[in-house]
């Protein structure tokens, strides 16, 4: 639903307030005396805060109405002061117009002055409903509009939406219910949109932990669970992180701002921290929240008072639930306020405040509806009959956290372990065959086998590529390519090694010399979900015959490139491709839209699966007409290549990082993120051609 904005500005001017409003229906302005003197306002604000504390105090009977009544009277006086005369007429007309057009009304509030900036305007009573005395912010979004000169526009988003969470628990501060909040948020996002949203919680709570995470990854949302406050002497807000000794360390707004300025993809910050919305008397941008808006974050949710753990968890849970349902950020805040009001029965529903850098609450560009390739009939969709599962499995190895597994000649299995070691096993016997340790022990992130069992290549986090001699366990080549890219692939004859580096594909010869630099041309029109004009490259492989390189591009198109970098064949997808495998006559892709597609080399789409969780690993059998698919949550299925019919094999304990058939197709190897390498015995009916289950 679209929103109709009603802009409301309150400016302190000597002994009066200047109130002006504007909307698509026109403008109006009035001059009114303040409802309180400076001293009276301070006393009233203290009274509101006392009532708020009484509303959640364990010593007060829940049915008591004194705290609620005093705050409602305060809100009625606020509404009566600014929503009156021509302002009320415009407001009422705007509300009626929004209803007629099927839109929601949004109140964009901009207080300007040391006194009006400290007023909790969220308690303002709805002037259009005096009989019920309901709060306006519980009926329509009431937003703090900071309206920057050059606000950041909605960001084109390449899924998944990435949420970084940090919960700070200094040893010398009262504990927070951080784990409960973590669990509820992750549960909500998984239930609503797990294939579109990734939530990662920092294991640490120090400044360096947060700085490294924001600097090393692309994050769209930052969620902070911590203590906070406002430093009156320094005239700025702060949140509390842990220092090196585990005690509380104030992380001031100006330092927070510098850190955020380096995260260009960040579009929303949620500060479940007390007083993170409070500003000083001289400048609204001294608050932690407003400082982040000024640093370039389009939307910030912060707290203008201390908030109890119960209310914070309730608000955050409801907010993310509605956000995952697709509501704009302002309406998600309004629904979450209602949840706190109903469930907690306290005045804390008004503690969260939404700050926006512009009039729009749409912080991400809308996603396109996936479209199939034009022309011809739609490809068949595999049946969804109940699959059969193999009964036996065995543990090949337990290697600890790892990032990738690849099966090579003679059933040799290479694993890229997080401790920096590339371990090679005899997969049939489960015996360790080699351990390759880089000098710097930088974590390997990707592996590729040469057709010769003696050589395997590893790509590392520091941007180096190492080709290992497994007989000596020493490098034969070390290539420095940079850290902007992860894919690598050997040609079938072992003479060429292809790598993705930024928006290029580099090809190296056996001596480690770069012989080709294939630049991927940017699409003429950027997709709505693309994160930039030069979207990142995904997986790659060599086409049969090794004359062409096939690479998944960030615009959703898989391209077959010749030696000059020209696309001689394309396979279009509605969103980026996460996995890519090929045989002599077939190409299989796994797309972010949750579909697995099977193609011919001539570009014909043979079949596609129903949308679901994104698959991150694909593998073709060697002789049988089978293909294995591993989805992001660990579900593994074997599909018939001709029909696409599935047979579920197993469910791994964590995210899959490797998938491969044994040379004789009698077993399927899987590797999980936690380091369990397992072999699954396939039923005879799967590997015997022409027979059914």
């Amino acid at each position: 639903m679209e929103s109709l904005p009603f802009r409301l500005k309150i400016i302190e001017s000597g002994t009066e307030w200047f109130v002006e409003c504007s909307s698509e229906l026109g403008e109006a302005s009035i001059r009114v005396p303040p409802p309180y003197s400076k001293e009276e306002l301070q006393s009233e604000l203290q009274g509101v805060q006392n009532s708020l504390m009484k509303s959640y105090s364990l010593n007060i009977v829940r049915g008591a109405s004194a705290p609620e009544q005093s705050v409602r009277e305060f809100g009625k006086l606020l509404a009566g002061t600014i929503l009156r005369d021509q302002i009320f007429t415009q407001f009422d007309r705007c509300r009626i117009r929004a209803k007629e057009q099927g839109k929601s009304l949004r109140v964009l509030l901009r207080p300007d002055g040391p006194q009006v900036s400290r007023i909790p305007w969220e308690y303002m009573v709805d002037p259009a409903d005096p009989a019920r005395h309901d709060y306006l912010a519980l009926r329509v979004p009431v937003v703090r509009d900071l309206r920057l000169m050059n606000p950041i526009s909605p960001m084109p988003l390449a899924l998944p939406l990435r949420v970084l969470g940090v919960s700070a628990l200094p040893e010398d501060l009262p504990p927070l219910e951080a784990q409960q909040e973590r669990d509820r948020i992750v549960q909500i996002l998984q239930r609503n949109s797990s294939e579109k949203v990734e939530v990662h919680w920092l294991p640490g709570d120090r400044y360096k932990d947060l700085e490294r995470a924001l600097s090393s990854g692309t994050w769209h949302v930052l969620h902070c669970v911590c203590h906070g406050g406002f430093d009156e002497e320094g005239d700025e807000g702060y949140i509390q992180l842990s220092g090196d000794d585990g005690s509380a360390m104030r992380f001031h707004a100006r330092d927070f701002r510098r850190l955020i300025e380096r995260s260009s993809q960040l579009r929303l910050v949620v500060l479940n921290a007390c007083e993170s919305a409070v500003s000083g008397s001289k400048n609204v941008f001294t608050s932690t929240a407003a400082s982040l808006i000024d640093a370039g974050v389009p939307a910030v949710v912060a707290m203008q008072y201390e908030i109890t753990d119960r209310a914070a968890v309730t608000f955050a849970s409801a907010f993310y639930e509605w956000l995952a349902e697709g509501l704009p950020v302002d309406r998600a805040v309004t629904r979450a306020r209602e949840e706190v009001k109903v469930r907690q029965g306290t005045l804390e529903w008004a503690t969260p405040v939404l700050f926006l850098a512009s009039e729009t609450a749409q912080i991400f560009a809308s996603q396109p509806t996936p479209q199939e390739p034009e022309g011809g009939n739609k490809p068949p969709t595999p049946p969804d009959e109940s699959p059969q599962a193999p009964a036996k499995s065995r543990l090949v190895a337990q290697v600890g956290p790892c990032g990738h597994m690849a099966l090579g000649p003679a059933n040799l299995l290479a694993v890229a372990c997080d401790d920096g070691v590339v371990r090679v096993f005899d997969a049939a016997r489960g015996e360790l065959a080699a351990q390759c340790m880089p000098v710097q022990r930088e974590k390997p992130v990707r592996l590729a086998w040469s057709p010769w069992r003696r050589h395997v290549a590893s790509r590392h986090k520091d941007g180096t590529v190492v080709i290992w001699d497994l007989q000596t366990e020493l490098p034969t080549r070390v290539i420095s390519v940079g850290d902007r890219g992860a894919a690598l692939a050997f040609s079938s004859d072992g003479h060429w090694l292809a790598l993705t580096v930024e928006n290029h594909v580099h090809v190296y010869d056996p001596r480690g010399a770069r012989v080709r630099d294939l630049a991927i041309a940017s699409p003429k029109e950027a997709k709505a979900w693309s994160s930039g004009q030069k979207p990142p490259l995904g997986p790659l492989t060599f086409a049969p015959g090794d004359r062409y390189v096939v690479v998944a591009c960030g615009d959703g198109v898989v391209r077959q490139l010749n030696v000059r970098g020209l696309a001689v064949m394309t396979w279009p997808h509605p969103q980026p491709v996460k996995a890519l495998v090929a045989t002599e006559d077939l190409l299989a892709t796994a797309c972010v839209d949750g579909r697995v597609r099977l193609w011919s080399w001539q570009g014909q789409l043979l079949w596609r699966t129903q949308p679901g969780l994104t698959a991150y690993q694909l593998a073709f059998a060697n002789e049988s007409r089978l293909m294995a698919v591993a989805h992001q949550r660990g579900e593994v299925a074997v599909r018939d290549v001709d029909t696409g019919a599935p047979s579920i094999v197993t469910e791994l304990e964590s995210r899959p990082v490797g998938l491969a058939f044994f040379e004789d197709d009698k077993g399927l190897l899987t590797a999980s993120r936690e380091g369990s390498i397992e072999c699954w015995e396939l039923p005879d009916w799967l590997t015997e051609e022409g027979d059914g289950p």
Side-chain angles (χ1 to χ4, degrees), residues 229-545:
F230 188 84
D231 183 353
E232 296 286 353
E233 184 176 346
D235 198 31
E236 65 175 334
Y238 62 86
I239 62 173
Q240 299 271 24
L241 299 179
S242 289
D244 292 336
D245 61 354
S247 61
M249 181 196 79
R250 288 188 177 185
F251 188 40
H252 287 92
R254 62 177 179 274
D255 302 316
F256 206 166
R257 172 188 175 126
R258 285 198 304 272
L259 184 60
I260 292 299
E261 285 175 341
R262 304 172 200 163
S263 305
S264 60
Q265 304 292 312
L266 205 60
R267 287 301 181 269
L268 171 64
V269 177
V270 178
L271 297 171
N272 263 1
C274 300
E275 299 184 348
S276 50
V278 174
S279 62
S281 60
K282 298 179 181 179
N283 186 353
V284 67
F285 288 103
T286 56
S287 76
T288 307
S291 180
L292 299 183
I293 290 286
D294 198 33
V297 181
V300 176
V301 176
M303 307 298 155
Q304 60 183 332
Y305 293 114
E306 291 185 359
I307 187 168
T308 63
D309 288 346
R310 295 190 308 274
V313 170
T314 301
F315 176 84
S317 301
F319 173 68
Y320 278 105
E321 184 164 5
W322 288 110
L323 205 61
E325 290 287 345
L327 286 188
V329 64
D330 62 331
R331 291 172 60 202
V333 167
T334 302
R335 295 294 185 89
R337 285 171 175 164
E338 290 179 321
E339 193 83 5
V340 175
K341 181 71 166 66
V342 172
R343 290 189 176 275
Q344 300 299 323
T346 71
L347 291 167
E348 292 178 283
W349 61 266
T351 296
V353 177
L354 173 61
F355 293 83
L356 290 179
S358 67
E359 292 186 0
T360 179
Q362 199 69 48
I363 55 178
F364 296 108
S366 59
Q367 299 293 320
T369 302
Q371 300 293 326
E372 292 302 326
E374 297 181 2
N377 297 325
K378 287 187 176 182
T381 298
D384 289 329
E385 69 272 11
S386 299
Q388 300 185 27
K392 297 181 180 179
S393 68
R394 65 178 174 86
L395 184 67
V396 176
Q398 186 73 46
V399 298
C402 58
H404 189 225
M405 177 272 279
L407 188 67
N411 289 329
L412 285 177
L413 180 73
V415 186
C417 301
D418 282 7
D419 62 1
V421 181
V422 176
R423 292 179 171 86
V424 180
F425 295 86
D426 181 326
R429 293 181 293 182
E431 297 177 355
L432 184 65
Q435 292 193 96
C436 304
M437 293 181 283
V439 175
Q440 300 299 326
R441 296 291 289 265
E442 287 290 344
K443 184 170 73 173
V445 295
R446 197 74 182 173
L447 301 166
W449 277 95
S450 161
W452 319 113
R453 57 181 295 175
R454 186 167 176 172
H455 295 132
V456 66
S458 59
R459 188 163 186 169
H460 296 257
K461 191 175 180 181
D462 63 352
T464 59
V465 174
V466 181
I467 301 176
W468 298 94
D469 183 332
L470 297 183
Q471 184 171 326
T472 63
E473 300 183 352
L474 295 174
T476 62
R477 296 283 184 274
V478 178
I479 307 169
S480 180
V481 297
D483 58 358
R484 299 196 177 183
L488 74 165
F490 271 107
S491 60
S492 62
D493 60 8
H495 287 297
W496 314 110
L497 179 66
L499 313 166
T500 56
V501 181
E502 293 186 329
N503 215 46
H504 296 249
V505 175
H506 292 171
V507 181
Y508 292 82
D509 67 11
R511 300 186 304 275
R514 192 172 74 191
V515 296
R516 290 285 184 270
D517 182 356
L518 311 178
I520 310 298
S522 300
K524 293 181 180 180
E525 294 182 3
K527 296 274 189 178
W529 39 259
S530 174
S531 60
Q533 294 182 346
K534 292 185 177 181
L537 300 181
L540 84 162
T541 187
F542 280 87

